[in-house]
Amino acid sequence: TAALRTSLSMWQAPAHSGLSHKLHPMPELGGRSPIQAVRHALAKCPDESPAHAATELGFLADPDFELALLLDMSTASSALTNSEYKAASVIAGSVIEAVLLWALRRCPPADYQAAFAKWRAVQPAAPLLPGDILRWSAQQYIEIARHLPIISDATGSAAALAKDFRNLVHPGRAERLQVKSTLASALLSVGAMRQVIDDIRDRVAAKTI
C-alpha cells in the first residue's frame, strides 16, 4: 500500500529527464508488483460478507447453511436501513421459513400430526399437511412449529404477520388487499426473523429439539 501511495505522488510530479517511476516486482511480495499483490489478496475475499456474528447461527452446525442464512440476514437488515421495505420483508420471511424447516426436521414426523390436531382444534379450516414437508406452506411451517412447540405463541403470531407481508411481493395480492410494504411491516418482519432464531436457539440449547 505504501508503494502504491508513493507511486501516485511521484507520477503526479514532473518527470525527470530520462527517468520515469515504475512499480517493480518486490521479493517481500512473493515476486509480485504491489498491484498484483493487492489483486491476489482481494481474489481470496468473498463477494459478500455477513454483518452478523458468525456464531449467531452456530446451533445449526452446518457452516454452509449458516453462511447462506447469515448473508440473507445481513441483506434484510441492510434493506431495512436503506428503506427497501419490501426487500427486507421478503428476505426476512425466507429466513424464517428456512430456520423453521431446519427445526421441524429435527422433530419426529409422528409429532407433526399431534401438532396439527392442536392447530385444527383452534382453526377448523386448517389445510391438511402434505406428506412431503418440503411442500408445506409457510403458514403450515409456522403453525406446526407453534403447536409442537418449537416457537412460542407470541413468536408464531409475529412470524404469521411477517408471512403476510412477505406475500406482498406478489403484485396482484398487494393490489387486491390495498396493502404495501412500509417501515412498520419491515421492522416487524426483521423482528420476527430474530424472534424465531432466538426461540429455536433456546430450544436447541435446552435439548428439547
Side-chain angles (χ1 to χ4, degrees):
T1 302
L4 292 172
R5 287 175 176 159
T6 300
S7 296
L8 286 174
S9 62
M10 294 186 69
W11 287 331
Q12 291 169 356
H16 295 282
S17 178
L19 178 65
S20 61
H21 176 71
K22 294 182 180 180
L23 279 169
H24 294 286
M26 302 170 65
E28 56 266 49
L29 298 179
R32 300 183 180 91
S33 76
I35 291 178
Q36 289 175 317
V38 171
R39 172 67 180 82
H40 180 72
L42 290 176
K44 299 178 182 179
C45 299
D47 292 334
E48 297 179 287
S49 181
H52 295 267
T55 57
E56 193 162 4
L57 296 177
F59 65 91
L60 296 174
D62 182 336
D64 291 338
F65 188 39
E66 289 172 36
L67 178 58
L69 289 188
L70 284 171
L71 289 172
D72 282 347
M73 290 171 65
S74 295
T75 301
S77 298
S78 297
L80 177 60
T81 301
N82 295 331
S83 301
E84 299 165 351
Y85 303 137
K86 181 179 289 188
S89 299
V90 170
I91 296 171
S94 72
V95 173
I96 289 172
E97 285 191 41
V99 178
L100 287 176
L101 174 59
W102 177 88
L104 286 164
R105 281 174 153 170
R106 291 172 62 90
C107 300
D111 290 354
Y112 300 159
Q113 292 304 321
F116 177 73
K118 294 178 183 177
W119 180 23
R120 264 285 176 91
V122 295
Q123 181 55 263
L128 293 174
L129 298 177
D132 183 356
I133 194 172
L134 295 178
R135 298 182 61 189
W136 290 12
S137 67
Q139 180 188 23
Q140 289 168 327
Y141 288 141
I142 294 167
E143 295 302 333
I144 297 304
R146 186 206 299 250
H147 289 89
L148 275 171
I150 288 173
I151 55 177
S152 70
D153 191 60
T155 298
S157 297
L161 286 173
K163 169 190 69 67
D164 292 339
F165 290 128
R166 181 191 181 188
N167 287 340
L168 294 179
V169 70
H170 305 293
R173 180 181 178 83
E175 181 177 346
R176 184 173 66 255
L177 298 178
Q178 291 296 295
V179 179
K180 63 180 181 179
S181 297
T182 63
L183 172 60
S185 66
L187 284 169
L188 189 148
S189 297
V190 173
M193 174 184 75
R194 302 309 300 261
Q195 281 186 255
V196 168
I197 290 171
D198 289 347
D199 276 14
I200 293 175
R201 184 194 299 114
D202 290 345
R203 298 295 194 278
V204 172
K207 298 183 179 180
T208 56
I209 61 170

